[in-house]
Amino acid sequence: GVGDNRGLKSWGDNGGGNTPPLKRLYLLLDSRLPEPTLLDLSVMGWCDDYAIPYTIVLTKVDGSSRAHCVKLTNQLCMRYHSLYLGTSHDDYEGDGEVYMDPVVYWTSSKDGLGMEELLMSVENNMFSNDDDDDEDEFDLLENEHDTRHQS
């Protein structure tokens, strides 16, 4: 059921199987709703609890006012900053990492708004290499300020 999170932990690791670990979850929020649903907030909480990186995507922004999308984005950014400062809840026992992406994507499939940026994010996360020992095989974006140490 919705409240059952026994299988959620396996999303973040491969558990010895052949599937690669989940690198990032993209949580789609309907921008036409007045606020994120309880299920949306629960999924965010589960991701925080199980150290699963996630990104929020506001969908159907063509059906919402700009002011409403800004309000939702501000609420989500406030949540991010609460996590960053370690004050999101009284019993917070975080490991110092925030798994929520500070970027909130606005998208509309009707007019294509934000789709290119979202796809770039997905590509960057699919092909990112977390091992500092290996050279990145997939450089999707050139970075003038390369922070890798060269020997």
Side-chain angles (χ1 to χ4, degrees):
V2 171
D4 181 11
N5 60 4
R6 287 177 291 188
L8 190 67
K9 186 169 180 139
S10 65
W11 286 5
D13 58 32
N14 66 9
N18 291 332
T19 36
L22 178 68
K23 291 191 177 201
R24 178 161 300 276
L25 180 135
Y26 287 83
L27 182 59
L28 308 180
L29 303 184
D30 188 340
S31 68
R32 300 171 301 175
L33 298 177
E35 59 189 27
T37 67
L38 182 57
L39 181 58
D40 295 331
L41 296 172
S42 294
V43 171
M44 288 183 232
W46 290 333
C47 288
D48 294 329
D49 291 344
Y50 290 103
I52 299 170
Y54 61 103
T55 297
I56 306 297
V57 180
L58 287 183
T59 64
K60 302 177 179 92
V61 296
D62 57 279
S64 299
S65 72
R66 182 175 180 88
H68 179 66
C69 290
V70 167
K71 178 185 152 212
L72 284 173
T73 301
N74 285 342
Q75 287 175 341
L76 293 163
C77 288
M78 298 260 304
R79 183 182 188 284
Y80 170 83
H81 285 289
S82 292
L83 290 168
Y84 182 77
L85 297 173
T87 59
S88 65
H89 25 69
D90 295 336
D91 61 344
Y92 181 72
E93 296 176 10
D95 56 9
E97 290 195 51
V98 177
Y99 297 98
M100 179 180 178
D101 189 341
V103 175
V104 175
Y105 290 91
W106 290 18
T107 63
S108 167
S109 62
K110 185 176 181 181
D111 58 19
L113 175 76
M115 300 308 280
E116 185 175 341
E117 295 83 358
L118 180 60
L119 288 173
M120 283 180 61
S121 172
V122 170
E123 285 179 1
N124 286 335
N125 283 291
M126 277 180 54
F127 298 120
S128 69
N129 187 354
D130 294 334
D131 297 331
D132 290 337
D133 298 338
D134 299 330
E135 289 293 320
D136 289 339
E137 293 181 30
F138 304 99
D139 287 333
L140 298 175
L141 296 176
E142 290 183 10
N143 186 354
E144 293 179 6
H145 305 291
D146 192 354
T147 58
R148 287 181 289 183
H149 296 285
Q150 309 234 346
S151 46

